[in-house]
């Protein structure tokens, strides 16, 4: 297994774990309270790593990472968690979030002038079909319209952040960038919890288990690997891998919560796997498979990506 394949596997498995962590955490507290303590712990641990390893970057680069944190952590996760908290079904939430590759591709074509080849379009559309097959039986719910709007808005926010992340002209190690984004999210969600009156965390073990779960898997491994894949393969390639997360999430739920694992899940997983293969298949020697990142992006320099992958 080469490095890119290993990174893709880590991304899909750990990104899927976030939905499980959300279910674990919201059994004991509100979604924003779970996110607040998730990012407080993550920011402290990552800050320690940054200090020990003496990671540095210019002030403007750090400010850009903070802005990306608002898009990729605060608005994305805040929208998804709040939508679920107010009644958006897990299946519909997963379906909306998994449409992100199409959003990224559309934004790249509209605002960056990137051409999307027929094979990539076929792969993206096939991914939508695969996701729909997986979550088709889970649609529904009586959530207010604004809860659905928050879920859609969170997905768009992550898509915009993904494109901007692939374009930032900075050489920022992923550990430092993730530390800044986590600190930004910690301030955002903790302030939200203070205003909501639930900043004091529950003392029960399941809450802290969920926090530890989301810090290790959903923050360090999922977001870290997502940033590395963007750096190495580009925005569209990284987003296309998210097509695999709804069926993999259902496998997580089957293993942990004994949820039913039906034939539709298996069929959808196969369709999503074919879709990702179409999008990620190299187009020729030395050419990128991504239509959403420019060739001049210095953030994804090999040295920086290799250093980040070992952080």
């Amino acid at each position: 297994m080469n490095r890119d394949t290993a990174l893709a596997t880590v991304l899909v498995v750990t990104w899927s774990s976030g939905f499980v962590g959300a279910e674990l955490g919201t059994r004991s507290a509100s979604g924003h309270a779970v996110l607040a303590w998730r990012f407080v712990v993550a920011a402290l641990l990552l800050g320690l790593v940054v200090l020990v390893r003496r990671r540095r970057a210019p002030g403007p680069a750090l400010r850009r990472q903070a802005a990306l944190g608002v898009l990729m952590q605060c608005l994305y996760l805040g929208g998804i968690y709040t939508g679920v908290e107010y009644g958006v079904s897990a299946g519909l939430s997963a379906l909306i979030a998994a449409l992100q590759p199409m959003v990224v591709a559309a934004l790249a074509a509209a605002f960056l002038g990137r051409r999307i080849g027929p094979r990539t379009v076929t792969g993206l559309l096939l991914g939508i079909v695969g996701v729909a097959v997986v979550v088709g039986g889970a649609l529904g719910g009586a959530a207010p319209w604004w809860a659905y709007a928050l879920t859609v808005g969170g997905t768009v926010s992550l898509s915009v952040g993904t494109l901007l992340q692939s374009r930032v002209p900075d050489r920022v190690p992923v550990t430092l960038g993730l530390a800044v984004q986590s600190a930004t999210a910690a301030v955002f969600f903790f302030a939200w919890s203070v205003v909501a009156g639930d900043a004091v965390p529950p003392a029960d073990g399941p809450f802290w288990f969920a926090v530890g779960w989301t810090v290790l898997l959903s923050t360090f491994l999922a977001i870290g690997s997502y940033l590395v894949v963007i750096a190495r393969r580009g925005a569209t390639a990284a987003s296309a891998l998210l097509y695999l997360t709804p069926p993999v999430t259902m496998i997580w739920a089957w293993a942990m919560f004994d949820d039913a694992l039906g034939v539709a899940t298996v069929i959808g997983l196969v369709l999503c796997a074919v879709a990702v293969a179409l999008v990620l298949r190299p187009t020729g020697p030395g050419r990128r498979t991504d239509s959403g990142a420019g060739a001049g992006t210095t953030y994804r320099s090999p040295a920086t990506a290799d250093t980040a992958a070992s952080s």
Side-chain angles (χ1 to χ4, degrees), residues 31-55:
H32 57 264
V34 176
L35 290 168
W37 288 100
R38 162 184 168 176
F39 282 110
V40 165
V41 173
L44 290 174
L45 293 177
L46 285 166
L48 181 61
V49 172
V50 168
L51 288 175
V52 170
R53 303 192 69 172
R54 298 182 180 180
R55 301 297 194 195

Side-chain angles (χ1 to χ4, degrees), residues 38-281:
R38 162 184 168 176
F39 282 110
V40 165
V41 173
L44 290 174
L45 293 177
L46 285 166
L48 181 61
V49 172
V50 168
L51 288 175
V52 170
R53 303 192 69 172
R54 298 182 180 180
R55 301 297 194 195
R56 294 184 178 86
L62 298 180
R63 288 191 289 273
R64 279 188 282 269
Q65 289 300 315
L68 289 169
V70 172
L71 291 169
M72 300 177 71
Q73 316 299 341
C74 303
L75 299 182
Y76 166 61
L77 291 173
I80 294 294
Y81 272 57
T82 305
V84 171
E85 184 177 348
Y86 282 91
V88 179
S89 68
L92 184 53
S93 179
L95 176 59
I96 293 172
L99 297 179
Q100 194 232 9
M102 284 298 294
V103 178
V104 168
L107 290 174
F111 296 103
L112 302 181
R114 299 296 174 187
R115 297 180 62 185
I116 304 175
R119 192 186 65 226
T120 299
V121 172
T122 301
L124 293 171
L125 293 175
L126 183 61
I128 292 177
V129 174
V131 171
V133 168
V134 171
V135 302
L139 303 182
W145 67 267
W146 52 263
Y148 294 99
L150 285 174
T151 305
V152 173
T155 300
V156 173
S157 179
L158 177 62
S159 302
V160 173
T162 296
L163 282 178
L164 293 178
Q165 178 76 68
S166 71
R167 303 281 297 177
V168 291
D170 308 315
R171 294 195 176 193
V172 179
V174 168
T175 47
L176 178 56
L178 188 53
V180 173
Q181 292 189 22
S182 295
T184 303
V187 172
F188 178 87
F189 288 114
F190 196 78
W192 185 349
S193 294
V194 169
V195 172
D198 56 4
V200 177
D204 57 80
F207 173 82
W208 289 108
F209 176 79
V211 169
W213 176 284
T214 55
V215 168
L216 176 61
L217 296 178
S218 306
T219 301
F220 292 169
L221 294 179
I223 298 176
S225 60
Y226 187 65
L227 296 179
V228 175
V229 171
I230 291 174
R232 295 178 66 88
R233 301 297 300 274
T236 301
S239 298
L241 289 169
L242 301 189
Y243 274 143
L244 293 172
T245 57
V248 173
T249 298
M250 292 189 176
I251 294 174
W252 272 103
W254 166 74
M256 294 190 64
F257 307 123
D258 202 27
D259 289 356
L261 187 63
V263 175
T265 302
V266 177
I267 295 174
L269 179 58
V270 172
L271 291 175
C272 290
V274 173
V276 170
L278 287 172
V279 174
L280 298 185
R281 181 182 175 187

